[in-house]
Amino acid sequence: AWYEDAATTIYYLESREDIDASKVAYAGFSWGAYQSGIPLAIESRFTTAVLISGGAPYWDPPHPMFDPVNYMPRITVPELMINGRHDHLFTYENSQLRMLELLGTPDEHKKHLVFEEGHFDFPRNTVAREVSDWLDRYMGAVR
């Protein structure tokens, strides 16, 4: 269902003349970042991804078909991860670094921005600038 939602959204964007559907980014926050593995591995029309406050699961894994860890090595799009070092849900050592290592994206196209914060308490202007710069780099500047 996650893939179908993503694919349907991109099909809709492709039907619009006022949108360049060849440049589509995935943005996931918390659960959406955690679950990004499935749509990013299966849907080839994503150009890049921004994942905020997510990571790889380190608790009881779900069924292998639904476990994002099994999809992460198949992801090759550039990824920006933004996390808090003191995140209690997606811990730095067990979850964030694990996700970063599992991604199939070449190292030069991965960036992990870590703040000395928790799950969501990041400096907004810094995050906005980093995300904007990332999207400009991989999708081109906004006209």
Side-chain angles (χ1 to χ4, degrees):
W2 293 304
Y3 163 74
E4 289 175 8
D5 288 346
T8 299
T9 300
I10 296 173
Y11 285 131
Y12 169 72
L13 294 174
E14 289 174 333
S15 75
R16 304 269 311 258
E17 292 182 18
D18 59 330
I19 293 175
D20 183 357
S22 69
K23 298 177 180 178
V24 178
Y26 180 97
F29 300 87
S30 191
W31 184 255
Y34 160 75
Q35 289 293 347
S36 67
I38 296 170
L40 287 172
I42 296 173
E43 178 51 68
S44 63
R45 293 174 290 176
F46 285 113
T47 306
T48 187
V50 176
L51 308 178
I52 300 176
S53 294
Y58 60 93
W59 49 86
D60 295 334
H63 185 281
M65 193 165 108
F66 305 114
D67 190 345
V69 166
N70 294 326
Y71 294 85
M72 289 176 189
R74 294 170 175 81
I75 297 170
T76 58
V77 297
E79 296 226 15
L80 170 62
M81 288 179 56
I82 300 174
N83 293 97
R85 187 174 309 277
H86 307 291
D87 190 325
H88 64 287
L89 296 175
F90 298 105
T91 63
Y92 180 76
E93 295 287 335
N94 295 330
S95 184
Q96 297 171 30
L97 293 181
R98 182 172 181 228
M99 181 176 195
L100 198 64
E101 291 168 3
L102 285 170
L103 290 172
T105 302
D107 288 342
E108 63 269 17
H109 298 291
K110 292 190 262 189
K111 181 175 182 180
H112 190 204
L113 183 60
V114 181
F115 294 99
E116 295 299 320
E117 308 294 343
H119 189 60
F120 265 128
D121 191 24
F122 310 131
R124 287 182 183 92
N125 289 340
T126 303
V127 170
R129 183 183 66 247
E130 290 284 343
V131 171
S132 181
D133 290 349
W134 185 264
L135 295 177
D136 285 350
R137 177 178 175 192
Y138 287 101
M139 298 176 71
V142 176
R143 293 179 271 151

